[in-house]
Amino acid sequence: MSASQARGAASDLGHGGCRRAWVELLAGRVKRQKLGPEGEQKVRESAVRLLRSHLNLGDLVLEVEGPPGKQLCLSRLIDYDGPGAHIDLSSSLIGSALRDQAAQLGVPVPVLSARVASGLVRVCEADAVPPPKVLLTPDQRKKLSSLFEIAQNLLAQSMFSRLSFCQELWKVQNSLLLEAVWRLHVQNIVSLQELLESHADSQAVVAWLSRDLRLLCEQTEAPCQHADVARAMLADFVQMLVSRGFQKNADVRGTVDPEWMSQVAVAVLERMLASALEALAAGIQEGSAAHKAVSC
């Protein structure tokens, strides 16, 4: 055998050996690892976090449901602007529809229940009055009361994820009306602190809440039939901000670092105070929006 032939044979053998070793390596890697109860729980938790971060529930439900039909589906249950609005639906019927939809989509029931947020947003956007505004109309309050009843029924059946619901709301935070957020708190669906803590960006939370509270102050002092609602809202928000901004003991029920919530609360209060002092220093006309906010 010539030298060149010997080198070729050695090369082929080497390559063949690499191929066999690589196949064997892959075969060993693809063997399923047996997970214990703790490992399975971690996998489930990771899957749920992935769903919460990247899944568009509205698009997924629309894709599976297709065009509206005669069947009772989740999107029709939470659509309070359609022809089926204000139908008295039992909690068992709603829960059954939600379980069927979740099974069809392969999505956890509590995560899917966060679609109630889309109904809330549609109610907030229904009024033709241009922004900025923070208060609901009587018709919006009526529609939201029905929607909140659904959420309370789901909570009672342990079929509602507060965290998923909050995250869905923050995706469309510019469409939220502050009164709707406050009514979630009053109805014991999602507390003000719980909603604020669910946002990952503290600066965005401070900017959003400071802006809406200023608008609320203006409307609290304005003569309107819902001034009592505005005053009750302002009292609850300020009470929450003061208690969280200057609390002595950490609230163990919080979902984030207590220091995070304390910093957000103090930052909002400081912005409110600074805005009032700047307006006074600049001189404001009596009866103007700025004068109403400062007076409040």
Side-chain angles (χ1 to χ4, degrees), residues 14-80:
H15 286 312
C18 289
R19 282 197 296 271
R20 286 192 298 272
W22 184 244
V23 170
E24 291 171 359
L25 178 61
L26 287 178
R29 294 291 291 177
V30 299
K31 290 181 180 178
R32 289 191 61 183
Q33 297 181 356
K34 293 185 178 180
L35 297 175
E38 184 177 350
E40 292 179 354
Q41 179 65 25
K42 289 182 178 179
V43 170
R44 283 194 293 269
E45 292 175 353
S46 298
V48 170
R49 284 196 297 269
L50 182 63
L51 282 171
R52 288 171 175 166
S53 301
H54 302 288
L55 181 62
N56 187 319
L57 292 175
D59 290 347
L60 180 60
V61 171
L62 181 61
E63 180 181 343
V64 173
E65 288 183 353
K70 294 182 179 180
Q71 74 278 13
L72 184 63
C73 56
L74 184 64
S75 61
R76 296 176 66 190
L77 291 176
I78 63 175
D79 184 3
Y80 279 84

Side-chain angles (χ1 to χ4, degrees), residues 166-263:
C166 291
Q167 291 174 338
E168 288 296 311
L169 288 181
W170 284 126
K171 291 178 182 179
V172 288
Q173 69 183 55
N174 291 330
S175 299
L176 289 178
L177 294 182
L178 198 61
E179 183 180 342
V181 172
W182 173 71
R183 290 189 180 275
L184 286 171
H185 172 80
V186 173
Q187 297 291 329
N188 295 318
I189 297 173
V190 175
S191 69
L192 299 177
Q193 179 180 350
E194 198 171 9
L195 178 65
L196 297 181
E197 287 180 342
S198 65
H199 201 302
D201 187 346
S202 61
Q203 294 301 317
V205 171
V206 171
W208 171 78
L209 188 54
S210 299
R211 179 202 65 194
D212 278 18
L213 284 177
R214 178 178 176 83
L215 291 172
L216 180 61
C217 288
E218 295 175 4
Q219 298 187 31
T220 299
E221 292 299 304
C224 68
Q225 58 179 336
H226 303 299
D228 56 337
V229 174
R231 283 190 288 269
M233 289 172 56
L234 185 60
D236 284 347
F237 273 104
V238 171
Q239 181 181 7
M240 184 272 294
L241 292 172
V242 171
S243 63
R244 295 298 176 263
F246 303 98
Q247 61 185 352
K248 294 182 179 180
N249 299 317
D251 186 353
V252 297
R253 294 172 298 176
T255 57
V256 298
D257 182 1
E259 187 66 23
W260 185 95
M261 188 62 208
S262 176
Q263 291 173 356

